[in-house]
Amino acid sequence: MAVAGWWGDRRSTFTVFSSLLLVHCVAILLFTSGFLLTRTELPHYSHCSDASQSPCGLPYQSPQNANCWTKPAVDRIVIIVLDALRFDFVAPSTFFQEKKPWMDKLQVLHKLASESESKSKSAARIFKAIADPPTTSLQRLKGLTTGGLPTFIDIGNSFGAPAIVEDNLIHQLVQNGKRVVMMGDDTWTQLFPHHFNKSYPYPSFNVKDLDTVDNGCISHLIPTLYDDDWDVLIAHFLGVDHAGHIFGVDSVQMIDKLQQYNEQLEKVVDVLQSQSGKGGLHENTLLLVMGDHGQTVNGDHGGGSPEEVDTSIFVMSLKRPPFPVPSEFDTSSCKLDLDGRKVCISSIEQLDFAATVSALLGIPFPFGSIGRVNPMLYGLVAGTWNLESYDMSSSHSQLKMEEWMHNYAKVLCTNCWQVKKYIDVYTDSSVIGFSIDDLKHVEEIYSQAVNWSTDSLHDDISSFDALKKQIDLYSNFLAHVAELARTKFTEFDLRMMGIGFGILLTSIFIHLLVIKRVDDMYIADFHSHEINTVSFGLVVSCTIVAARACSFLSNSYILEEGKMTSFLLASIVMLGLRHSIMKKKMINEAAALALLIFILRFTIELGLSKQGSPEVSEFHSRVYVADLLPIMPLIILAYLLYKSISSSSCNWLLKFVITGSIFSYILVALHLTLGSSSLSYMTPPIFDGIKGNFIPRAIYVMGIAQLLSLAVLQLFEDHKTSNWEETTLMKAVAMLSVWSSTLIILSGKQGPWVALASVIGGWLISRLKGLDPDYKNGSTGLLARYSSPVTQWSLLASCLFFCTGHWCAFDGLRYAAAFIGFDEFTIIPQAILLTIETYGFSHILPTLGLPFLVAYRHSSNKTTQTRESLIQLFQAYLIYGLIMAVTTSFTVLCVMIQRRHLMVWGLFAPKFVFDVVGLLLTDVLICVSSLIYFVRT
């Protein structure tokens, strides 16, 4: 059967590739529906009247004569959220091995925490708060208010937070008559659209804006503290988070923001203390200064690294407790700060926040909360009841201590009862719930704690040891449930996961069958002599691809994927260099490719290519030469484009599109110059009007116009097979130039260099494919011939992903790139820009540029040679797609095996999302390429 009889035009190739895309979509959709399920959100809410069902004794009788759960310890709470507040922003530098420039800036918190250890009438303490990943703001706010664990699938909602429908702290506040005022990050009004008596929301997604949200908070915060029409005040500042995303932690902007916060906190404390006297507005007010998550040194967050999950909570009660928390419950670490003041730091899980605050305010705990009322935070505040009625001599102090422990044990009893009730309802309502063994173990621990409490809690005052034992039993139950939830709360539908994985494996089998059939038909159609279907390059390529795919089964290799990929590419390149030396041909090209891989590995190792790195930014801002360096590769790229059109006889519209890209490169160079702090003042005043968003938007508009021009050309051009190679090369050049101009401006100063590296690497791989004599004389099949260069092409694309500062985690996304050319957040354009910046060098350019491996000028222009080249290009795309499918399949297998792993949400799930998005994007681009590069033969 002749090849021309099987496929005759672009529709045939498009059908093959679109069918594979459809199969991949179905497989991934089914697997994802079984893997990324959210925790079942129950439509149940806690009520004060529920306390009558508790085994913890008579419920507390509120002033409104309604049954409620705990005795209120505070009247008002001021919650100041400093987004992305790292732990070392708050803790003194003496708690760390090395002092960093951003430390010791919040001196007011050190002072207050140290004074609470001595003569101050208030009580203050710094807590190290540990969050659960993912550490995006939506997940953390949801976790803080519900007392539950975040669910991974909600990660996508961080750019459009839905209202929380399950029971939460804010709902309980409103339902129990508390008046809530909010100011700052508008995520709160999206999560709780009808809960606030007053709200002053400000847009939160323009990461380039460091001041709008903060200034809004500042303008309303102090005046609101003098009002008496609220019970809970929430102020959410964003400047530190945005400064980290744009400039990094070690930046002047970050230091300025921390110093600004220090000044504002001093003003807040002054207002609170000035009205904290007897009968004052803030006589019994609690101040919480806290972060929702941390951030890395580069300003990223989303994953589960210590820098991201470690944040802080500063607690200040305007009443001082009469005694310290018993040492058995005190896990504090104390050191002297730089001024010689003693500062103690305790620890708290963010999971405990909702339950603890609910207990202090005397409202029901959220129904789905699985946290524990933290003893240190509760003791810091709840020891302030009826101080005037007690003689604080040693005997009465001991009596008061035991009474507090009795109260705390009763609170924990209610805490455990609520968690146990939730576990039971969750198991009955959920599709899967917990296993029988897990439930039996939970029941045993709970029964042990409750049975111990049956007699002891009804005594007037229990002994210290008995109370200590009781509290330990309750704490053990709550700790066990929290640990169980962290490992098994997310439901996995193994049946759906298995079906999805099975379909993905089937797609690989189909891929192989198509490749084999194309190989067989190519040999039958164009060769009458015997052809080798196996080559050394094929064996090496299969080994390399298999090694890379298998490495995804290990979390260590995923963490070091960039280095591992560069090593595999270097291995296959060194084999090629050895072959080149032995043949004494193309030694310079082989050596140049090896040198390029070494440079890429060096870049990955040091991480200097990451935009926003403090060290790189500082270097660029001080050295003129460094600011001019990115213009050099732009000049080279523009020259290469000029040479391509000057020596070509292609369609005038293609030349026009490529000329437009040259102009875009000029605009990029101008944008980089105007954006440089050391060069912008040297530019003429005429350019002042185009600084900022004008140039990026102009490049975006030009890119869209160029793509539309190429679409028009594709629809109306007269396809001629006689000059297919030249036309295809020029189409590829046009496509790459159009996408590269947008990609370069999104990537910043590293963009031109990476673009030049991709061009050089692609050209060298294309040149070196002819090193094998079997390639020239056609004595091998297409799979054996193209397996090695396509594998190198794929590995080079992966290396470019990592050397541009990305990695497979959500804190590896450069969110600032989505706002280049924009100040306001709009989901569609920002999502497109972020996708282009993330996948541009690793997926878009390599896929569209693959014809360079095949298309080359022949000595004659026969139709038969064109048809042969088309078959080769078809096979090259099939091999490239197969490599992507195999690596993604092993990622899917990995997350299926490791679904109960501790790092599943911090590491394996993000890797899964990045790979499946990359696979689908590659499939779409291959389909587009089949419409662009294939013609009727």
Side-chain angles (χ1 to χ4, degrees), residues 539-776:
V539 174
V540 172
S541 299
C542 291
T543 303
I544 293 292
V545 172
R548 180 166 183 253
C550 291
S551 69
F552 295 153
L553 300 177
S554 166
N555 62 323
S556 299
Y557 278 100
I558 292 178
L559 287 170
E560 301 293 341
E561 184 181 355
K563 299 177 184 178
M564 183 268 298
T565 303
S566 64
F567 170 77
L568 294 176
L569 178 57
S571 300
I572 195 170
V573 168
M574 292 307 294
L575 288 175
L577 178 60
R578 176 180 177 275
H579 183 67
S580 177
I581 294 174
M582 293 179 62
K583 295 290 185 179
K584 297 182 179 179
K585 295 184 343 186
M586 296 188 183
I587 298 177
N588 292 335
E589 289 87 342
L593 183 58
L595 177 62
L596 177 65
I597 303 309
F598 172 78
I599 295 174
L600 293 180
R601 171 57 188 268
F602 182 76
T603 305
I604 294 172
E605 187 79 30
L606 295 181
L608 292 181
S609 64
K610 175 158 178 62
Q611 188 73 6
S613 173
E615 294 81 7
V616 176
S617 300
E618 182 178 0
F619 180 76
H620 283 173
S621 64
R622 294 185 179 182
V623 184
Y624 296 159
V625 176
D627 288 317
L628 292 172
L629 282 177
I631 299 177
M632 294 173 55
L634 284 174
I635 295 174
I636 298 174
L637 292 171
Y639 174 76
L640 293 176
L641 292 182
Y642 171 76
K643 289 290 293 182
S644 68
I645 58 177
S646 63
S647 60
S648 172
S649 59
C650 65
N651 186 289
W652 67 270
L653 190 55
L654 281 176
K655 292 186 176 181
F656 175 78
V657 169
I658 297 174
T659 303
S661 296
I662 296 175
F663 181 68
S664 293
Y665 287 166
I666 296 174
L667 290 180
V668 172
L670 181 60
H671 178 74
L672 293 176
T673 302
L674 295 176
S676 170
S677 58
S678 59
L679 292 177
S680 58
Y681 74 92
M682 301 172 60
T683 56
I686 192 175
F687 293 117
D688 292 344
I690 61 175
K691 290 182 179 180
N693 296 332
F694 179 82
I695 293 178
R697 290 183 178 181
I699 291 176
Y700 301 154
V701 172
M702 287 181 58
I704 295 173
Q706 288 172 295
L707 289 176
L708 291 176
S709 300
L710 291 174
V712 171
L713 172 67
Q714 197 66 24
L715 289 174
F716 298 105
E717 73 171 335
D718 182 20
H719 300 293
K720 297 180 180 179
T721 59
S722 58
N723 62 343
W724 176 84
E725 285 80 9
E726 181 183 17
T727 302
T728 300
L729 284 175
M730 294 308 298
K731 284 183 179 179
V733 170
M735 289 295 295
L736 295 179
S737 66
V738 170
W739 285 100
S740 65
S741 57
T742 298
L743 180 56
I744 288 172
I745 199 168
L746 292 177
S747 301
K749 295 180 180 179
Q750 65 180 352
W753 291 106
V754 180
L756 181 61
S758 64
V759 170
I760 295 174
W763 180 79
L764 290 173
I765 293 174
S766 301
R767 285 275 295 162
L768 290 169
K769 74 180 186 297
L771 183 62
D772 192 339
D774 293 337
Y775 178 86
K776 289 186 176 181

Side-chain angles (χ1 to χ4, degrees), residues 3-245:
V3 174
W6 177 57
W7 67 285
D9 57 22
R10 70 184 64 173
R11 287 177 295 180
S12 301
T13 57
F14 178 78
T15 300
V16 173
F17 290 128
S18 60
S19 299
L20 289 171
L21 169 61
L22 179 62
V23 173
H24 289 160
C25 287
V26 172
I28 291 170
L29 180 63
L30 291 174
F31 184 88
T32 303
S33 65
F35 174 59
L36 292 183
L37 290 178
T38 60
R39 164 179 52 86
T40 301
E41 296 182 352
L42 303 181
H44 300 284
Y45 296 85
S46 299
H47 303 280
C48 279
S49 58
D50 296 340
S52 60
Q53 308 168 16
S54 167
C56 306
L58 293 175
Y60 169 68
Q61 200 76 10
S62 73
Q64 293 79 21
N65 295 319
N67 292 330
C68 216
W69 292 18
T70 60
K71 184 177 181 179
V74 296
D75 298 328
R76 298 176 126 201
I77 293 185
V78 177
I79 302 175
I80 298 178
V81 181
L82 306 181
D83 206 291
L85 185 70
R86 285 169 58 104
F87 174 58
D88 57 6
F89 286 170
V90 177
S93 59
T94 52
F95 281 81
F96 305 94
Q97 293 183 348
E98 182 180 358
K99 187 180 185 304
K100 298 293 186 178
W102 58 82
M103 296 179 180
D104 299 318
K105 302 305 177 187
L106 300 178
Q107 282 290 318
V108 61
L109 303 185
H110 298 177
K111 177 183 177 182
L112 294 169
S114 64
E115 286 181 350
S116 69
E117 301 294 331
S118 55
K119 60 184 179 179
S120 175
K121 295 182 179 181
S122 62
R125 177 63 61 93
I126 294 173
F127 288 81
K128 179 180 182 179
I130 302 171
D132 288 286
T135 48
T136 56
S137 292
L138 170 64
Q139 271 67 32
R140 288 294 80 237
L141 294 182
K142 190 172 183 178
L144 284 166
T145 55
T146 63
L149 293 171
T151 48
F152 183 85
I153 202 167
D154 289 336
I155 195 85
N157 293 325
S158 288
F159 292 100
I164 296 178
V165 296
E166 62 180 323
D167 198 4
N168 58 81
L169 177 63
I170 306 299
H171 171 81
Q172 289 297 334
L173 289 171
V174 175
Q175 289 300 109
N176 289 275
K178 303 295 184 181
R179 299 159 299 175
V180 186
V181 174
M182 190 286 304
M183 57 195 69
D185 187 349
D186 63 353
T187 303
W188 286 89
T189 56
Q190 297 174 46
L191 294 174
F192 311 102
H194 308 295
H195 293 72
F196 303 116
N197 289 63
K198 293 181 182 179
S199 61
Y200 308 96
Y202 297 89
S204 58
F205 286 113
N206 183 6
V207 294
K208 295 189 293 183
D209 185 351
L210 307 186
D211 300 314
T212 297
V213 177
D214 290 357
N215 291 341
C217 286
I218 292 170
S219 65
H220 294 289
L221 179 55
I222 300 299
T224 305
L225 291 177
Y226 289 101
D227 296 336
D228 60 356
D229 59 350
W230 58 269
D231 300 296
V232 176
L233 187 157
I234 301 171
H236 192 142
F237 291 76
L238 273 178
V240 160
D241 179 65
H242 288 183
H245 281 304

Side-chain angles (χ1 to χ4, degrees), residues 287-303:
L287 171 65
L288 299 176
V289 180
M290 59 187 296
D292 52 349
H293 51 74
Q295 59 178 303
T296 65
V297 175
N298 288 316
D300 301 314
H301 58 87

